[in-house]
């Protein structure tokens, strides 16, 4: 039995009953529509804005659209490639021509963005309920393109990005690099700017230490357990060769705690 879109939606935690499937095409919208079109060079931000702006005509777009919108880009006459999945938080403005929605990108099907291609049975239809699109066949899932490691001194990751680095094939070289070093790392809570200075030494590499944060958000640190990791930003302050004496790593950790005031005004308890 051929693979269809339905099982992929369910596996990603998306109930087809609560989802809309959209296929954007590269088009120039009529000026009177008040909508901007898309073209082959449209940026991610432009596609996002285009997705959140819909016609006020409820014959073109549902009066009460569902929570999740699974967004594809037209490819050829009868195929579509996954762009992203957004969550609809409701309509925020409306006039006689267009409606604007508060949407946000989600992690759903993140590993399939740009890779999943489905057959599109109704070329004249650009949106439909996911319960209908669930039967559409999967044409292919491309291998993920490897992403080059940027270097230890340029590494800045959100918690969502850290989770991707720890699990996705395209980040294999990143995991290899992080496995090769010990070091001092920084977690910043972007909501209030407070810092947590941590270290990886002895039996744990940076990769092993950060894997714990990717898994549970707090890595076992008491002060971090009460916080939402979605606002955390991870970076490296200094890396060490595994042969470095532990005393040198401890000294560096103490230095950065003082320099960043992470005990008195931050998230370190000592």
């Amino acid at each position: 039995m051929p693979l269809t879109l339905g099982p992929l939606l369910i596996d990603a935690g998306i109930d087809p009953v609560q989802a809309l499937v959209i296929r954007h095409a590269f088009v120039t919208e009529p000026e009177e529509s008040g909508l901007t079109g898309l073209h082959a060079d449209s940026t991610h931000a432009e596609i996002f804005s285009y997705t959140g702006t819909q016609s006020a005509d409820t014959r073109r777009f549902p009066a009460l659209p569902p929570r999740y919108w699974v967004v594809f880009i037209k490819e050829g006459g009868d195929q579509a490639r996954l762009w992203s999945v957004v969550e609809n938080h409701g309509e925020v403005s409306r006039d006689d021509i267009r409606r604007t929605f508060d949407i946000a990108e989600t992690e759903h099907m993140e590993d399939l963005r740009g890779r999943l291609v489905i057959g599109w049975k109704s070329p004249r239809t650009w949106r439909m309920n996911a319960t209908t699109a669930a039967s559409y066949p999967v044409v292919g899932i491309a291998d993920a393109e490897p992403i080059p490691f940027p270097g230890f001194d340029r590494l800045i990751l959100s918690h969502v990005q850290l989770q991707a680095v720890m699990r996705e094939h395209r980040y294999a070289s990143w995991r290899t690099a992080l496995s090769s070093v010990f070091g001092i790392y920084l977690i910043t809570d972007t909501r209030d700017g407070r810092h947590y200075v941590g270290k990886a030494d002895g039996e744990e590499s940076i990769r092993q230490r950060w894997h714990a944060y990717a898994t549970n958000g707090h890595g076992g640190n008491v002060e971090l357990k009460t916080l939402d990791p979605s606002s955390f930003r991870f970076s490296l302050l200094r890396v060490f060769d595994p042969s470095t004496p532990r005393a040198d790593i401890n000294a560096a950790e103490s230095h950065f705690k003082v320099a960043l005031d992470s005990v008195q005004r931050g998230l370190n308890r000592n």
Side-chain angles (χ1 to χ4, degrees), residues 39-60:
H39 51 81
D41 295 322
S42 292
T43 66
H44 190 87
E46 287 171 339
I47 297 173
F48 180 84
S49 177
Y50 183 80
T51 301
T53 305
Q54 297 293 338
S55 172
D57 185 348
T58 55
R59 292 171 298 179
R60 295 189 61 192

Side-chain angles (χ1 to χ4, degrees), residues 188-234:
T188 301
D189 188 340
T190 57
R191 287 170 298 191
D192 54 24
R194 288 188 297 168
H195 297 308
Y196 177 87
V197 175
K199 67 178 177 180
D201 64 358
E203 297 180 357
E204 286 191 311
S205 65
I206 291 290
R207 174 187 175 178
Q208 290 169 306
R209 193 74 195 95
W210 279 12
H211 185 273
Y213 292 110
T215 301
N216 59 30
H218 54 74
N221 303 120
V222 175
E223 194 69 17
L224 301 183
K225 287 183 177 180
T226 61
L227 302 176
D228 181 357
S230 65
S231 63
F232 289 174
R233 186 175 63 203
F234 298 78

Side-chain angles (χ1 to χ4, degrees), residues 16-268:
V17 174
Q18 298 183 341
L20 187 70
V21 176
I22 294 171
R23 185 178 77 157
H24 290 321
F26 298 137
V27 295
T28 302
E29 295 285 354
E31 185 175 347
E32 63 271 16
S33 74
L35 303 174
T36 57
L38 288 182
H39 51 81
D41 295 322
S42 292
T43 66
H44 190 87
E46 287 171 339
I47 297 173
F48 180 84
S49 177
Y50 183 80
T51 301
T53 305
Q54 297 293 338
S55 172
D57 185 348
T58 55
R59 292 171 298 179
R60 295 189 61 192
F61 197 73
L64 295 173
R67 178 180 180 183
Y68 294 114
W69 304 355
V70 185
V71 184
F72 290 81
I73 303 294
K74 181 179 179 180
E75 191 161 283
D78 59 356
Q79 295 184 5
R81 186 177 296 271
L82 180 65
W83 173 72
S84 191
V85 178
V86 301
E87 184 172 4
N88 166 34
H89 295 293
E91 185 178 314
V92 293
S93 67
R94 172 199 291 251
D95 57 28
D96 293 337
I97 297 175
R98 59 188 172 187
R99 304 155 68 194
T100 303
F101 291 86
D102 176 14
I103 60 172
E105 282 196 81
T106 74
E107 298 177 29
H108 296 292
M109 305 179 80
E110 184 179 37
D111 60 331
L112 293 175
R113 291 179 189 172
R115 300 174 56 213
L116 171 65
V117 178
I118 64 171
W120 197 267
K121 297 179 181 179
S122 305
R124 297 176 64 89
T125 301
W126 65 271
R127 55 90 180 168
M128 65 186 67
N129 295 328
T131 50
T132 299
S135 65
Y136 278 21
V138 172
V139 175
I141 300 177
D143 289 338
E145 289 290 330
I147 298 178
F149 182 63
F152 298 116
D153 58 345
R154 295 184 179 180
L155 199 59
I156 300 176
L157 302 171
S158 68
H159 188 249
V160 169
Q161 290 171 326
L162 179 65
Q163 291 177 313
V165 166
M166 291 299 158
R167 72 169 182 258
E168 294 182 17
H169 177 71
R170 57 183 174 155
Y171 291 106
S173 67
W174 297 42
R175 293 192 293 273
T176 298
L178 295 174
S179 295
S180 69
V181 294
F182 293 160
I184 310 301
Y185 58 87
L186 179 69
I187 302 175
T188 301
D189 188 340
T190 57
R191 287 170 298 191
D192 54 24
R194 288 188 297 168
H195 297 308
Y196 177 87
V197 175
K199 67 178 177 180
D201 64 358
E203 297 180 357
E204 286 191 311
S205 65
I206 291 290
R207 174 187 175 178
Q208 290 169 306
R209 193 74 195 95
W210 279 12
H211 185 273
Y213 292 110
T215 301
N216 59 30
H218 54 74
N221 303 120
V222 175
E223 194 69 17
L224 301 183
K225 287 183 177 180
T226 61
L227 302 176
D228 181 357
S230 65
S231 63
F232 289 174
R233 186 175 63 203
F234 298 78
S235 58
L236 291 170
L237 297 172
R238 187 175 176 185
V239 296
F240 295 93
D241 183 275
S243 63
T244 304
R246 185 172 292 186
D248 292 351
I249 300 176
N250 289 342
E253 179 190 28
S254 297
H255 164 76
F256 283 113
K257 284 180 178 178
V258 173
L260 295 167
D261 206 6
S262 66
V263 176
Q264 296 298 321
R265 295 180 175 81
L267 297 171
N268 286 101

